[in-house]
Amino acid sequence: MKHHSAQREYWRSLAHLADTPAVRAAAEKEFASYEPEEMLAMPGLTRRRFMKLMSASMALAGMTLTGCRRWPQEKLAPYTSNPPNRTSGVPEQYATVMEINGVGSPLLVTSFDGRPIKIEGNPSHPYSQTVANRAGASDAIAQASILEIYDPDRSRAVINRAGATQVASDWDRLSNWMSATIDSLTTNQGQGLAILGESTSSLTTARLKAAVVKRFPKAAFFEYEPLSRDNEIAGAKLALGRPARQVAHLNKAMVLALLDADPLGTHPAHVHYAFEWASNRPNARRQMSRVYAIESAMTISGSVADCRLGVRPSRIGAILSALAARLGAGGMDVTLAPEEEAFIKHLLSDIADNRGKSLVLVGPQHGPALHALALAINEKIGAIGSTLTFVEEPDGDRASHFDSIADLTNKLKARQIDTLVILGGNPAYDSPADLDFASAMKSAATSIHLSLYDNETSHAALWHVPRAHFLEAWGDCRAWDGTVSICQPLIEPLYGGKTPDQVLAFLAEEPETQSDAIVRKTFAEMDDAAWRRALNEGLIANSGFKEVSGQVSFHAAELYPAVQGYEVRFLQDSKLYDGRFATSGWLQEIPDPLSKIVWDNAALISKKDADSLGVGIGDVLQITVGNSSVKIAAFVLPGQPAGVIGLALGYGRTLGEHIGSDVGVNTYALRSSGAMFFAPAQVSKTGDYYELATTQDHHLIDQLGIEMRQKEIGEKYKSAEVIHEMTFEEWKKVKGAPERTVPLQLYEPPQDEFSGAHAWGMSIDLSKCIGCHACVAACQAENNIPIVGKDQVLKNRQMHWIRIDRYFKGEADDPNPEVVFQPVACQHCENAPCEQVCPVGATVHDTEGLNVMVYNRCVGTRYCSNNCPYKVRRFNYLDWHSQDPRHDKYPKPYLNLPDQQQLETVPKVKQMMFNPEVTVRMRGVMEKCTFCIQRIHNTTISKRAQSEKLNDGDIMTACQQACPTQAIVFGDLRDGKSKVSRSHNDPRAYGLLDEALATQPRNKYLAKVSNPVEA
Amino acid sequence: MASVPTTEFARIAAGIEADNTTDDPRFRAPLVTGNKDFAAVTATVAGVAERPAPPKAWYVAMGVSLSLLGLLGAMIGYLFLTGVGVWGNNQPVGWGFGIVNFVFWVGIGHAGTLISAILYLFRQNWRTGINRMAEAMTIFAVCCAGLFPGIHVGRPWLAYWLFPIPNQMTLWPQFRSPLLWDVFAVGTYATVSLLFWYVGMIPDIATFRDRSKNRIKQVVYGLLALGWNGSSRHWHRYERAYLMLAALATPLVLSVHSVVSFDFAVSQIPGWHTTVFPPYFVAGAIFGGFAMVICLAVPARALFGLKDIITMRHMDNMAKITLATSMMVGYAYMTEFFVAAYSGNSHEAFTFHNRALGPYCWSWCMMTFCNVVAPQLLWSKKVRTNMLLLWIVAMFGNAGMWFERFEIIITSLTRDFLPSSWHAFWPTWVDLCTLAGSFGLFMTLFLLFCRYLPTVAIAEIKTVMPQAHAHAHELHGEDAKRTDYRPDEHMDPDRDAPRLKNR
């Protein structure tokens, strides 16, 4: 710096003024307070050391600071080179098939990064497609298979139980043992070898069975299914002279008479039947079918029937005989009770008006004679060839399932079996109680059980072998009509499990050991191109069973003796099937459609019986059939026929792993040969009380509540607020688009409020919803929704984003009340009450009309849930994903700290199940239906990227896709031609509570149209 | 004078604890009984803090309160670590005990502010005996109240997002939400009440400072007294500040609980969505608050020897206000029912049927009995002046107000529009312990206040004693020391002639 010694006027200090050389030197220093050279000259401090120290301190800061962060550390490792044919992060879909009771449900499975995460129906397969080649429906059980494959309780290792000790074994030891066994069996041509399997239509299994028989001519095959449909086959055999399978065509039936039949709920082809049934409710030509249901239980089909009568099981035979006689199909007429007479009078006149368009179906729990009688009736009314056709029944001449298991048990008790191989199933749990199969099994010198879980039968066997889940294995099976589908895996077997085919191949000493080779060999005559096409589409074209035709001959039905007193009716559980899905938490928590019970079964009784027994909901009854009795809580179910106690099968398992053990009461204990579907029973009150968890109407609703509910479900169209309904006659007259409610607002809404390119909306047709809960399961799978367990459902904290409300209409003791199902999910109100009250603005509206929930902003005041009139918002009261849902069985306080839980406490295998496109919510956060915003954005973004137009049906919400009747329609309201726009302009359309509250929901309901007989 | 004192005045002159509840228009009843002069008043009030040890009952009460406070801490810890699920809240009852307790405590506080501010503006001199205690009760009630919204949220470590603090997300809270209005209302209330209470206490704390022998006490009271020196300048500023704070606090009495009632009134649940809520809640709050003040004052005056300062007249007046507000609350109940029936809205009508006859009818009965029926006993002067009975009725009032909030919040949530969503609410042990614990917090703070801070507004109460009256300066000699002088004494020559002659 220059200094002007003479001209300086202002100075900073005396030293500065003095301007000595020392001062000048000091002023010229770059760093006033220290000498850099001095510092660097410090002993040991080289530049390198300096860098080391600096980086170490930064690392230290990094360590401690990351400790302060709330987010758990996750490691991301992108591929350096992509695996071929796959872009990571882009999901792929593969067709496969799931077999239950020998019938395949065609599926399309979404795979994300090499693991399956979501199941849909196969849109190309006639038995699951709802929109050809675009949408395929499924059911709750198929949706829950995703949970099953990733169930941490699945068996992972071979187990050997010699005597009382249990030893985890391995594949080598097993195969050595099996080889030794096979050698000894070969010497005596398989004498003493028995193979018990589940019902299967697999061509591969049939081929391998033949191969085993060739190798071991004296080996015996047995087949058992607890919910057998053999009565139908035997009935067809009686009527046609040969076993056959009945294929109904409900889309052609304008009059449908269901005599204890449940085609929409428990039939193996129920997804397809529901779709066909819905097409006439009403159809495009403004016609509507009329469904009559006479049943000994409260089923889904009966609930949506236009006319329903609840009767004792023994009456079905009488009613069928009367029908047959009066229609001229043969036999003697029978006098019926007055209400039965009144009922079939209308049925007869409707059938008379609808020749060739009527159909009579009988449920599989009734004997072959009744089925034959129904077929005779069907022939008389012109159903055969139009609404009902026959196809071959594969292996139709085999022994019936019940005979087969009885035969096997006898042979076991007679010590004629040395080696028992059980492929799947759980006969120790679900075989007829009088057989005592579990102890009979012990008579076999060696037994192997191939199973997904180490269950009751595995514990009674010598060897337990883990089975490969259908999503991780090759196989094949046939749909109800026989169309062959190949089951292809989405992932390698997680625990190295084997398929039944592999076991049979091993026994038959086939050269192929891998399941893909085994299946390919069955279809060796298909060339590779055809094979790949079959895999791609999920079916082999034109592979259905051959049609069978024949003259139906009449057989008189023996009438069951009338049962005085109570009788029990064993029911297929709507979620657990025969008990094999008791290990699935999702299925346990999905409510039964009619009773809404979760995590339990109950004795379903009518109000009349409840009053005479002096019991209410939860009072424990003792039910005795023959020499066995069980204690089970009662549930008063409106519509349950008087004198009949409904008992769902599949509960009370002792070895159902963590989820399925000690849930409900084992009603198989009452089920004996000869009375596998109904049985006379003694019922008495025990005086105990057992709390049943239901998702609706928990605690008896008092009279006041019942009255209020009646007001909500009105008699006439537009008089109620919750359910609108009308008769078919009224519907034909109704015209005009519904009015739009306009709420009074204090403020002008912003101009750009709904200015988005799309306006998403949904409609739900109450005429078509059958209450099957496929949508609930699909939503749970798609959106990573947790289960909460029975004790939390008792507090009504279940997390389902969509629920199906079930309302009964009529007096409390009405024996045949009307039932309405109403799926309720977020209505995405344009004038949303939830948005106005959130103090932090965690729920807002986007320009496309979606009410958007921002999880990371939510502090959890729950005001939005309070203000929502539909109560669709679900709050994470606890960390559900980390909590043990069996708190009722294993209570324990739970004190883990927030934020770290899910990654560390959810088992790694279960984490594979989560859909990576949907946030997994932590506790304290509100959540609700988002109209599957991840699907919306995926599709709109990819369409925009391709510059393609978005068409109606390109985006499907999970619930819409799963629904077999297509009751749920979703789409763009801006597109005037979209299905949803047409629904919204339908005169039947109304917004739930919209008139009262002017919430302007984007989800409209179409009033239920029923077709009752004019009185 | 007669040998047996017959007139009230005579009894006072004779030093018997008097019944100063009469309203003889000729004689304004004294507000400080027992022949106290200024020094005696100071000694009585300061004595509560200065005695070497508080009465044994204080220790017992403190022991119980501290245990309950500990229980509260444990419950809050458990709640934070595990989740709101430890309470009984469910779907549809998203708000349970947490919000019931919040509204309960915040309502209680209103009585204190009414006594301090509104009665000050109305120049009701009798307020001076109880205003300090009531205002303290308000502060502590607001503390308890403010606790609950903070802990009842699902993610309490983020509760600060309800405050409009500039942040990196550039997000403001959502101002249309009544919960956010609560933040401002309760926040303002806490701030203003605290200021008002503290500023009002300064001269009394200075008195404590001057009387303290203990060094620590001198320092602490000295700091708190902010250098008060008793000069007229300080007094002038004090009076001005007090007036302004009273004016600020007055609207809060009506607005805060109105805003809290908006939490419900602005929502659309039947039974909540009604415009009668703001006045209904305010009336209820004052009723509940006075009940709480009575409940605290009855034992406090007995325990700390404050019977001459918090006299029967004070208790009588408070009882009268309690009765009046109870009638207002009863009227509000009738209005609600009438409107529900008259509206023709089936949801609304059902809600009221449900409240009275449904599964929670027991709480409706509790509420109605405790809030409307039991306080009717206060028509009787015998009851109003019998401390035990008064205390019991006041306890009923407290319980009744808690049940009223329970009734309003819970029953409307359990059964609203869609019958499929109806579900009952039952509290868990954590709920009950948290409620009990909140009383522990309240009582701990109150007992500490009683022991360490001036329980009565010494400076203010002196202004309503006869010695403070201007005429007192005219008396000389013995007259100046007269303690039986009544401010508006009309000199009766016949009676007082001897004295007059002495002048």
Side-chain angles (χ1 to χ4, degrees):
Chain A
M1 108 199 140
K2 285 161 60 170
H3 53 277
H4 318 269
S5 47
Q7 291 97 4
R8 194 179 311 152
E9 288 191 325
Y10 303 103
W11 36 271
R12 281 178 288 169
S13 68
L14 288 170
H16 195 206
L17 187 60
D19 205 20
T20 59
V23 169
R24 255 180 264 154
E28 271 158 25
K29 267 171 44 171
E30 191 181 341
F31 300 103
S33 45
Y34 66 93
E35 279 294 321
E37 304 310 312
E38 241 175 58
M39 261 201 73
L40 287 172
M42 260 162 56
L45 186 67
T46 58
R47 191 156 268 155
R48 175 169 279 195
R49 181 162 163 75
F50 176 80
M51 296 299 280
K52 270 198 221 166
L53 285 172
M54 289 303 289
S55 58
S57 56
M58 278 207 280
L60 192 66
M63 261 163 47
T64 50
L65 283 181
T66 51
C68 294
R69 279 194 303 122
R70 289 185 296 118
W71 299 282
Q73 286 214 323
E74 290 183 63
K75 299 198 174 16
L76 301 177
Y79 287 117
T80 52
S81 54
N82 247 351
N85 300 327
R86 199 174 85 213
T87 314
S88 79
V90 174
E92 300 172 312
Q93 294 187 309
Y94 294 95
T96 184
V97 64
M98 173 172 132
E99 181 173 46
I100 294 184
N101 200 355
V103 180
S105 304
L107 305 174
L108 189 69
V109 185
T110 306
S111 168
F112 211 102
D113 277 350
R115 63 185 197 280
I117 55 160
K118 182 72 170 65
I119 289 182
E120 309 293 351
N122 186 345
S124 313
H125 196 295
Y127 268 75
S128 60
Q129 70 183 189
T130 46
V131 180
N133 295 318
R134 298 260 273 189
S138 52
D139 62 2
I141 287 174
Q143 294 291 333
S145 306
I146 288 293
L147 183 63
E148 204 182 27
I149 182 181
Y150 297 122
D151 191 345
D153 292 334
R154 263 181 68 196
S155 74
R156 306 184 186 197
V158 175
I159 299 178
N160 178 296
R161 290 187 168 91
T165 55
Q166 170 182 320
V167 174
S169 192
D170 54 48
W171 293 105
D172 290 333
R173 248 175 279 186
L174 172 70
S175 65
N176 290 341
W177 175 87
M178 277 189 78
S179 304
T181 311
I182 288 171
D183 289 336
S184 71
L185 281 171
T186 316
T187 50
N188 56 6
Q189 292 196 313
Q191 178 72 33
L193 171 65
I195 300 174
L196 171 64
E198 298 176 292
S199 172
T200 176
S201 53
S202 164
L203 294 164
T204 308
T205 312
R207 171 178 75 80
L208 291 168
K209 271 189 188 165
V212 169
V213 163
K214 199 155 146 223
R215 197 140 189 275
F216 302 109
K218 298 223 176 91
F221 280 89
F222 301 90
E223 194 175 287
Y224 176 65
E225 281 284 340
L227 295 170
S228 172
R229 302 191 74 89
D230 286 341
N231 284 330
E232 291 177 347
I233 305 169
K237 189 164 176 187
L238 265 183
L240 294 172
R242 50 161 299 167
R245 178 177 285 194
Q246 301 173 32
V247 179
H249 303 280
L250 297 182
N251 51 344
K252 299 203 181 110
M254 295 311 283
V255 176
L256 184 59
L258 305 173
L259 280 93
D260 237 352
D262 190 9
L264 307 182
T266 53
H267 193 276
H270 65 266
V271 168
H272 184 58
Y273 281 173
F275 176 67
E276 287 187 333
W277 165 88
S279 61
N280 282 327
R281 308 291 295 174
N283 65 20
R285 290 185 303 273
R286 294 184 81 83
Q287 297 164 327
M288 190 156 169
S289 60
R290 182 171 286 152
V291 180
Y292 290 83
I294 306 169
E295 51 184 18
S296 60
M298 197 60 178
T299 64
I300 283 179
S301 305
S303 308
V304 297
D306 299 302
C307 310
R308 182 196 176 261
L309 182 66
V311 297
R312 282 175 175 269
S314 43
R315 301 300 305 156
I316 302 286
I319 294 170
L320 260 180
S321 301
L323 269 177
R326 295 176 206 193
L327 284 169
M332 299 276 291
D333 199 357
V334 176
T335 358
L336 299 173
E339 67 273 8
E340 295 166 358
E341 285 285 348
F343 194 86
I344 68 166
K345 184 175 100 179
H346 300 297
L347 173 58
L348 286 166
S349 81
D350 275 338
I351 289 177
D353 295 334
N354 286 284
R355 292 257 159 211
K357 290 187 282 177
S358 320
L359 179 59
V360 173
L361 292 175
V362 174
Q365 53 275 15
H366 291 280
L370 286 182
H371 287 269
L373 188 53
L375 288 178
I377 294 173
N378 279 324
E379 172 151 86
K380 192 70 193 176
I381 63 178
I384 310 237
S386 65
T387 55
L388 184 66
T389 54
F390 297 105
V391 295
E392 277 176 352
E393 174 69 37
D395 207 10
D397 284 317
R398 60 168 166 79
S400 77
H401 292 137
F402 301 148
D403 287 340
S404 184
I405 191 82
D407 187 21
L408 173 59
T409 314
N410 289 335
K411 287 198 161 72
L412 279 167
K413 286 184 179 150
R415 299 200 174 272
Q416 291 171 5
I417 313 270
D418 303 314
T419 312
L420 175 62
V421 179
I422 308 180
L423 300 170
N426 197 358
Y429 166 69
D430 55 32
S431 56
D434 56 327
L435 295 178
D436 196 7
F437 187 79
S439 33
M441 263 176 78
K442 305 243 194 317
S443 326
T446 52
S447 46
I448 304 180
H449 185 215
L450 177 77
S451 167
L452 276 179
Y453 295 91
D454 186 24
N455 57 24
E456 292 85 346
T457 308
S458 294
H459 274 252
L462 177 62
W463 289 93
H464 161 80
V465 183
R467 181 179 179 171
H469 193 265
F470 80 87
L471 286 171
E472 52 187 24
W474 286 92
D476 67 293
C477 67
R478 310 181 80 155
W480 183 251
D481 71 339
T483 309
V484 178
S485 298
I486 310 295
C487 175
Q488 62 173 328
L490 280 281
I491 192 171
E492 285 264 338
L494 291 174
Y495 313 117
K498 303 289 174 208
T499 62
D501 292 338
Q502 282 177 299
V503 174
L504 286 173
F506 192 90
L507 279 175
E509 280 194 333
E510 293 266 311
E512 296 85 14
T513 52
Q514 299 291 11
S515 60
D516 56 341
I518 293 172
V519 175
R520 187 73 180 90
K521 183 168 170 183
T522 311
F523 298 93
E525 75 277 7
M526 285 175 77
D527 61 8
D528 276 342
W531 175 250
R532 294 178 73 78
R533 196 166 44 248
L535 289 178
N536 181 275
E537 288 174 4
L539 59 99
I540 298 177
N542 301 321
S543 59
F545 295 128
K546 280 211 295 287
E547 277 221 19
V548 160
S549 55
Q551 185 62 28
V552 175
S553 61
F554 173 79
H555 283 85
E558 72 275 13
L559 301 182
Y560 306 142
V563 174
Q564 309 295 336
Y566 295 102
E567 47 191 316
V568 299
R569 159 98 148 90
F570 296 104
L571 301 167
Q572 171 181 325
D573 190 63
S574 57
K575 313 160 293 161
L576 306 190
Y577 193 69
D578 55 5
R580 66 184 68 183
F581 298 116
T583 47
S584 172
W586 288 358
L587 290 173
Q588 290 279 13
E589 198 151 294
I590 286 175
D592 179 80
L594 285 154
S595 64
K596 295 282 171 211
I597 295 176
V598 299
W599 291 94
D600 254 315
N601 60 344
L604 305 173
I605 60 176
S606 65
K607 181 95 176 32
K608 191 156 151 235
D609 292 335
D611 289 341
S612 63
L613 283 167
V615 296
I617 292 179
D619 290 321
V620 178
L621 297 174
Q622 173 146 338
I623 302 184
T624 311
V625 173
N627 293 331
S628 354
S629 70
V630 296
K631 291 207 177 90
I632 183 168
F635 188 88
V636 180
L637 183 64
Q640 179 71 14
V644 183
I645 316 269
L647 294 177
L649 296 165
Y651 290 87
R653 285 183 60 177
T654 47
L655 292 166
E657 304 296 336
H658 195 70
I659 296 281
S661 303
D662 292 339
V663 175
V665 173
N666 184 359
T667 46
Y668 278 109
L670 299 176
R671 201 181 186 220
S672 299
S673 315
M676 292 289 275
F677 295 104
F678 332 97
Q682 287 85 50
V683 180
S684 61
K685 191 171 138 172
T686 59
D688 296 329
Y689 181 79
Y690 177 81
E691 186 105 57
L692 286 168
T694 57
T695 57
Q696 189 179 331
D697 310 338
H698 189 68
H699 298 301
L700 212 52
I701 294 281
D702 55 347
Q703 191 55 29
L704 200 62
I706 290 176
E707 281 167 18
M708 184 58 186
R709 259 211 306 221
Q710 293 293 78
K711 286 212 193 82
E712 301 286 359
I713 306 163
E715 287 284 334
K716 296 266 179 237
Y717 180 48
K718 274 197 194 299
S719 70
E721 296 197 22
V722 176
I723 304 279
H724 286 190
E725 47 180 6
M726 57 178 88
T727 64
F728 180 48
E729 295 305 316
E730 287 166 353
W731 173 74
K732 285 196 278 203
K733 300 191 199 104
V734 106
K735 285 196 216 319
E739 286 169 17
R740 186 175 158 81
T741 55
V742 179
L744 285 177
Q745 300 268 34
L746 275 180
Y747 313 103
E748 277 288 328
Q751 289 306 312
D752 59 352
E753 202 178 12
F754 298 118
S755 60
H758 307 281
W760 304 114
M762 184 183 268
S763 77
I764 299 184
D765 192 341
L766 295 179
S767 304
K768 296 196 172 154
C769 177
I770 56 175
C772 68
H773 283 74
C775 52
V776 177
C779 179
Q780 187 150 29
E782 173 76 15
N783 293 299
N784 304 331
I785 297 175
I787 56 170
V788 304
K790 177 179 173 179
D791 61 335
Q792 296 294 328
V793 175
L794 279 171
K795 295 193 173 136
N796 219 42
R797 291 174 177 171
Q798 63 274 11
M799 294 301 287
H800 297 132
W801 288 4
I802 183 169
R803 63 174 193 264
I804 303 198
D805 290 342
R806 175 270 296 127
Y807 295 105
F808 292 110
K809 206 174 103 171
E811 298 304 318
D813 49 5
D814 190 340
N816 295 302
E818 203 186 304
V819 179
V820 183
F821 292 112
Q822 183 178 43
V824 182
C826 176
Q827 307 287 306
H828 292 272
C829 311
E830 290 182 1
N831 186 22
C834 57
E835 293 170 10
Q836 292 163 21
V837 295
C838 173
V840 289
T843 180
V844 292
H845 226 82
D846 75 4
T847 52
E848 295 185 342
L850 294 179
N851 175 281
V852 165
M853 186 66 215
V854 185
Y855 305 123
N856 48 356
R857 177 69 172 165
C858 178
V859 291
T861 58
R862 305 182 295 287
Y863 201 171
C864 55
S865 161
N866 289 345
N867 215 23
C868 174
Y870 311 109
K871 292 291 179 280
V872 289
R873 287 175 155 272
R874 300 284 137 180
F875 187 67
N876 286 279
Y877 277 103
L878 295 168
D879 252 305
W880 301 125
H881 284 290
S882 314
Q883 268 242 337
D884 177 7
R886 291 311 305 275
H887 234 233
D888 58 315
K889 195 175 166 199
Y890 310 108
K892 96 177 174 236
Y894 183 77
L895 283 179
N896 274 2
L897 294 174
D899 275 340
Q900 309 300 329
Q901 281 152 324
Q902 284 140 6
L903 258 190
E904 287 166 20
T905 55
V906 178
K908 286 263 177 290
V909 69
K910 214 159 153 210
Q911 287 181 27
M912 291 168 77
M913 168 189 90
F914 290 138
N915 180 352
E917 293 181 323
V918 177
T919 313
V920 177
R921 285 77 57 191
M922 71 171 289
R923 75 169 157 98
V925 166
M926 189 66 79
E927 59 185 54
K928 64 165 186 80
C929 161
T930 58
F931 272 177
C932 284
I933 193 171
Q934 67 279 5
R935 292 181 173 209
I936 294 175
H937 282 202
N938 271 344
T939 310
T940 50
I941 288 171
S942 67
K943 289 279 181 180
R944 201 161 48 230
Q946 313 289 338
S947 302
E948 280 173 14
K949 187 169 160 310
L950 187 70
N951 297 312
D952 187 34
D954 280 344
I955 302 175
M956 282 184 287
T957 57
C959 50
Q960 172 192 15
Q961 202 167 7
C963 179
T965 57
Q966 288 290 283
I968 301 179
V969 172
F970 172 81
D972 187 359
L973 288 169
R974 281 214 196 286
D975 177 358
K977 296 199 214 61
S978 65
K979 270 172 82 175
V980 73
S981 294
R982 279 185 271 132
S983 294
H984 276 224
N985 289 321
D986 191 315
R988 283 194 290 149
Y990 72 99
L992 184 59
L993 296 174
D994 192 24
E995 282 168 37
L997 299 173
T999 47
Q1000 296 184 304
R1002 279 284 177 93
N1003 187 342
K1004 291 230 193 278
Y1005 288 90
L1006 298 179
K1008 178 174 175 179
V1009 184
S1010 56
N1011 195 3
V1013 181
E1014 283 88 69
Chain B
M1 292 191 223
S3 54
V4 175
T6 49
T7 64
E8 172 205 340
F9 177 55
R11 280 202 296 278
I12 292 167
I16 302 168
E17 195 206 340
D19 173 16
N20 60 342
T21 58
T22 53
D23 284 304
D24 188 335
R26 293 174 301 160
F27 313 117
R28 191 167 285 200
L31 292 168
V32 177
T33 56
N35 288 327
K36 285 189 152 44
D37 64 358
F38 285 175
V41 166
T42 309
T44 310
V45 178
V48 176
E50 282 171 4
R51 49 188 288 189
K56 264 217 183 56
W58 187 93
Y59 282 109
V60 173
M62 198 56 172
V64 173
S65 305
L66 278 174
S67 337
L68 287 175
L69 180 61
L71 181 65
L72 179 70
M75 292 299 103
I76 293 179
Y78 183 42
L79 174 73
F80 281 11
L81 290 175
T82 308
V84 181
V86 301
W87 287 355
N89 300 34
N90 59 37
Q91 185 79 11
V93 186
W95 286 350
F97 270 39
I99 296 298
V100 172
N101 296 346
F102 162 63
V103 183
F104 172 70
W105 283 115
V106 105
I108 281 179
H110 286 65
T113 319
L114 184 140
I115 293 171
S116 287
I118 295 186
L119 293 185
Y120 176 74
L121 296 177
F122 287 173
R123 303 190 193 285
Q124 296 293 305
N125 288 334
W126 62 273
R127 62 178 272 284
T128 52
I130 47 166
N131 73 327
R132 179 63 43 73
M133 191 175 285
E135 191 63 30
M137 180 207 77
T138 294
I139 302 291
F140 306 141
V142 173
C143 283
C144 291
L147 183 67
F148 282 101
I151 63 173
H152 95 114
V153 292
R155 300 203 288 175
W157 52 94
L158 298 173
Y160 68 92
W161 280 350
L162 271 88
F163 290 88
I165 306 169
N167 54 58
Q168 84 285 6
M169 301 183 279
T170 68
L171 282 177
W172 292 118
Q174 205 263 111
F175 293 104
R176 288 193 300 169
S177 166
L179 282 187
L180 204 69
W181 305 339
D182 271 355
V183 167
F184 294 122
V186 177
T188 315
Y189 192 46
T191 316
V192 172
S193 293
L194 190 62
L195 269 177
F196 191 30
W197 181 63
Y198 175 57
V199 167
M201 263 202 302
I202 289 175
D204 298 338
I205 295 179
T207 306
F208 275 35
R209 170 199 63 192
D210 296 336
R211 290 168 66 103
S212 295
K213 308 277 191 297
N214 180 316
R215 182 74 190 145
I216 300 175
K217 282 194 179 175
Q218 284 172 351
V219 169
V220 173
Y221 286 134
L223 283 171
L224 288 174
L226 298 183
W228 177 266
N229 61 17
S231 67
S232 17
R233 185 172 298 202
H234 276 197
W235 276 112
H236 176 77
R237 288 181 187 154
Y238 168 80
E239 295 286 346
R240 281 268 157 261
Y242 199 89
L243 179 65
M244 280 196 279
L245 283 166
L248 261 182
T250 297
L252 288 179
V253 175
L254 300 166
S255 70
V256 170
H257 220 60
S258 300
V259 170
V260 170
S261 79
F262 286 159
D263 282 348
F264 313 108
V266 168
S267 81
Q268 56 181 18
I269 307 295
W272 280 14
H273 186 63
T274 162
T275 52
V276 79
F277 267 16
Y280 166 13
F281 268 54
V282 172
I286 297 173
F287 168 69
F290 268 92
M292 184 59 95
V293 176
I294 292 174
C295 282
L296 291 172
V298 165
R301 68 193 281 270
L303 197 60
F304 299 123
L306 296 171
K307 283 193 179 163
D308 292 324
I309 297 175
I310 307 176
T311 65
M312 290 295 254
R313 188 174 187 79
H314 294 90
M315 304 311 293
D316 185 46
N317 285 351
M318 287 201 282
K320 286 177 185 165
I321 296 185
T322 307
L323 175 61
T325 47
S326 142
M327 311 252 295
M328 288 188 227
V329 167
Y331 177 64
Y333 291 171
M334 290 196 294
T335 310
E336 270 194 308
F337 266 90
F338 170 71
V339 167
Y342 190 62
S343 67
N345 181 326
S346 63
H347 298 288
E348 203 67 34
F350 169 73
T351 299
F352 283 92
H353 265 112
N354 184 43
R355 282 187 180 171
L357 305 168
Y360 288 99
C361 63
W362 52 270
S363 102
W364 184 86
C365 290
M366 278 292 287
M367 168 184 101
T368 314
F369 175 74
C370 292
N371 288 349
V372 181
V373 174
Q376 300 304 311
L377 286 172
L378 298 176
W379 283 108
S380 149
K381 177 135 178 206
K382 266 210 166 58
V383 175
R384 290 200 303 269
T385 51
N386 179 329
M387 290 297 107
L388 177 64
L389 284 178
L390 180 61
W391 190 86
I392 291 174
V393 173
M395 279 308 267
F396 270 124
N398 278 324
M401 282 319 292
W402 192 91
F403 276 103
E404 181 194 285
R405 273 51 171 269
F406 178 86
E407 182 72 18
I408 293 173
I409 295 175
I410 305 292
T411 58
S412 278
L413 285 175
T414 54
R415 290 186 174 188
D416 68 331
F417 294 101
L418 290 184
S420 60
S421 298
W422 290 354
H423 193 82
F425 166 85
W426 297 110
T428 60
W429 63 275
V430 183
D431 278 317
L432 297 167
C433 288
T434 310
L435 173 60
S438 69
F439 279 94
L441 173 64
F442 179 76
M443 284 311 298
T444 304
L445 291 171
F446 189 76
L447 288 166
L448 286 174
F449 157 77
C450 285
R451 174 65 179 149
Y452 293 111
L453 287 173
T455 42
V456 173
I458 308 171
E460 291 186 73
I461 204 156
K462 288 177 183 172
T463 63
V464 304
M465 289 168 68
Q467 291 85 331
H469 196 274
H471 288 186
H473 296 302
E474 292 165 8
L475 300 170
H476 304 289
E478 295 143 27
D479 294 334
K481 295 199 194 72
R482 270 181 60 198
T483 57
D484 58 350
Y485 187 85
R486 293 157 299 164
D488 288 346
E489 183 178 86
H490 202 74
M491 291 295 195
D492 182 349
D494 296 328
R495 192 187 65 221
D496 299 316
R499 260 175 269 134
L500 285 173
K501 285 193 186 115
N502 279 344
R503 279 225 227 146

